[in-house]
Amino acid sequence: MNFQKIKYLILLSVVLTPILSGCGGAKGKIEKSVPQDKKSPDEKKDAPILVEVVEVKGVKYTKKIELPGSSVLGMETSKLLSRVGGYVEEIKKIDGKEIDIGSLVKKNTPLALIAIPELQDELTEKRAKVEQAKSAEGQANAAITQAEALIRQRIAEVTQAESHRSEKKALLSLQNIKLKRVQGLVEQGSIGEENLDEAKYAVKAAQSALDSVTADEKAAQANVSAAKAGKEKAIADKASATANFKVATAIAKRAETMVGFATVRAPFDGIITKRFVDHGAFVRPATSNSGAMPLFEVSRIDKVRVMVSVPNSRASSVKVGQKIVFRDIEGLPGVAVDGTVTRSSNTLDTKTRMMRID
């Protein structure tokens, strides 16, 4: 953004010390001879030589380089393009006025809205998938809880089976003791043989009962293992559901970001210097598209940049840090502004043979 064409002076200060023949240090002596023809012979022989002493002072010398025609630009200038393609649905307003050239904007101020219905539909779809993945994760958590409850139930069944086995084992021991007693009585002839058959049958029944509860115990232990395996599967299902939820969330976040690109915003505080679009204009996406057109141009003017081109004959005399006086500014008659050389290209442009300084 070219504001003015101005002239400036670059001041180079040096101190020149005159070098006079016969001078020493900051002060020197200048000998003034007395004409010999005016002296007597004795004076010529013995009289001292008179000299005149003068003080030598340094004189400050300022070298001025005057160059016409410099450019004043905003510190930053950007052309704003759209990240996504679509139609200009709305030009935003500031203080009730539509944004146009001369509008002062703050950083992130919305400038225009691009209509992209398909992106909004895609965002709705992605958000639905996020909810679906979240529900699957909740179901996996419930399956883990259910598997843990089943494990506790199976462990209780094992405990119960172990208790039954102990009971049946004790009963078998009792029936074996009875069998031995009956056998002794039968051998003594105190009781009949039929009593021995009944005792043997009772032992066999007790053994069968023990075998049955032992099998039940093993089945209960197998059920515990199955329940634990079910829990491991539920945990794996949860991990998968959690991963799907994260993926769906990331995809939805990307869709939200793309929808956010539909709003063109100011990159910094500044002023709108150009407006290229109106309502309904089709905007091409800036990505991989050389035909994309900017919507606005914005410049930062709280600080300005003054660009000066120095001819090659003067380039060696200009250094960063030197003082500059800007004068004869168009629109500001009689005003002079002091400045400093802050940057220098330190090279000559191959076409103009001039060096740029800011």
Side-chain angles (χ1 to χ4, degrees):
M1 183 176 67
N2 243 340
F3 290 110
Q4 301 288 347
K5 295 291 184 178
I6 62 177
K7 294 182 179 180
Y8 65 94
L9 295 175
I10 301 177
L11 308 181
L12 306 178
S13 299
V14 298
V15 177
L16 301 183
T17 303
I19 301 176
L20 303 178
S21 177
C23 296
K27 296 183 178 181
K29 295 182 180 180
I30 301 177
E31 296 184 358
K32 185 177 182 181
S33 301
V34 179
Q36 296 294 324
D37 57 352
K38 294 184 180 181
K39 297 180 180 179
S40 63
D42 292 335
E43 288 176 340
K44 291 179 180 179
K45 181 178 180 181
D46 301 325
I49 299 175
L50 298 179
V51 296
E52 181 179 357
V53 179
V54 296
E55 182 180 358
V56 179
K57 296 181 179 180
V59 177
K60 185 176 181 181
Y61 172 72
T62 301
K63 183 179 181 180
K64 298 181 179 179
I65 302 175
E66 184 169 350
L67 299 173
S70 54
S71 300
V72 182
L73 306 174
M75 195 63 185
E76 296 179 273
T77 299
S78 295
K79 290 183 177 180
L80 308 182
L81 290 84
S82 175
R83 174 69 171 74
V84 292
Y87 292 92
V88 178
E89 179 178 348
E90 180 184 3
I91 302 293
K92 299 295 183 177
K93 295 182 179 181
I94 296 179
D95 297 331
K97 295 183 179 180
E98 195 172 86
I99 293 176
D100 211 320
I101 59 171
S103 297
L104 296 174
V105 296
K106 295 291 185 180
K107 183 177 180 178
N108 291 326
T109 297
L111 305 180
L113 177 64
I114 310 299
I116 316 173
E118 62 273 20
L119 278 184
Q120 190 62 51
D121 294 341
E122 182 180 351
L123 176 59
T124 301
E125 177 189 357
K126 301 307 180 186
R127 284 176 174 171
K129 288 186 177 181
V130 169
E131 294 300 322
Q132 184 179 7
K134 185 177 181 181
S135 176
E137 186 180 23
Q139 291 177 359
N141 283 326
I144 292 175
T145 302
Q146 183 178 3
E148 290 174 344
L150 183 59
I151 290 173
R152 290 192 294 269
Q153 179 183 348
R154 296 309 184 192
I155 291 175
E157 290 175 355
V158 170
T159 303
Q160 184 179 9
E162 289 175 347
S163 177
H164 288 170
R165 185 171 63 83
S166 298
E167 178 185 350
K168 299 304 181 183
K169 187 176 181 181
L171 181 60
L172 177 60
S173 298
L174 177 61
Q175 295 301 332
N176 282 323
I177 293 172
K178 287 182 178 181
L179 176 61
K180 290 180 180 180
R181 186 183 305 121
V182 170
Q183 284 178 340
L185 292 174
V186 169
E187 290 174 355
Q188 294 174 4
S190 301
I191 58 175
E193 290 288 339
E194 68 277 4
N195 292 311
L196 180 60
D197 293 337
E198 291 179 359
K200 289 181 178 179
Y201 178 78
V203 169
K204 290 182 179 180
Q207 183 65 53
S208 298
L210 178 60
D211 293 341
S212 176
V213 295
T214 301
D216 291 341
E217 180 184 2
K218 290 181 178 179
Q221 290 174 344
N223 290 336
V224 170
S225 299
K228 289 181 178 179
K231 179 182 177 181
E232 294 299 324
K233 181 180 181 301
I235 291 174
D237 291 342
K238 179 191 174 182
S240 177
T242 300
N244 290 336
F245 175 69
K246 290 181 178 179
V247 170
T249 301
I251 294 175
K253 184 66 177 177
R254 182 181 183 277
E256 289 177 358
T257 301
M258 295 302 293
V259 170
F261 285 138
T263 301
V264 179
R265 300 177 182 273
F268 46 74
D269 295 354
I271 185 173
I272 301 297
T273 56
K274 293 180 182 179
R275 171 177 159 179
F276 300 96
V277 295
D278 292 313
H279 293 86
F282 179 73
V283 177
R284 298 181 182 275
T287 54
S288 304
N289 191 339
S290 59
M293 181 180 68
L295 283 75
F296 299 94
E297 182 180 89
V298 59
S299 292
R300 175 185 167 193
I301 58 173
D302 60 328
K303 183 185 291 187
V304 296
R305 181 195 301 268
V306 181
M307 294 193 306
V308 180
S309 296
V310 182
N312 58 355
S313 59
R314 301 288 192 177
S316 61
S317 301
V318 180
K319 306 293 181 184
V320 172
Q322 289 178 332
K323 300 297 181 182
I324 291 180
V325 177
F326 300 95
R327 59 183 180 81
D328 297 339
I329 303 173
E330 293 182 5
L332 298 173
V335 175
V337 180
D338 294 332
T340 303
V341 179
T342 57
R343 302 180 189 278
S344 172
S345 66
N346 292 317
T347 57
L348 297 177
D349 184 271
T350 55
K351 293 182 180 180
T352 63
R353 306 301 298 168
M354 303 183 82
M355 181 179 73
R356 172 182 163 178
I357 62 172
D358 292 354

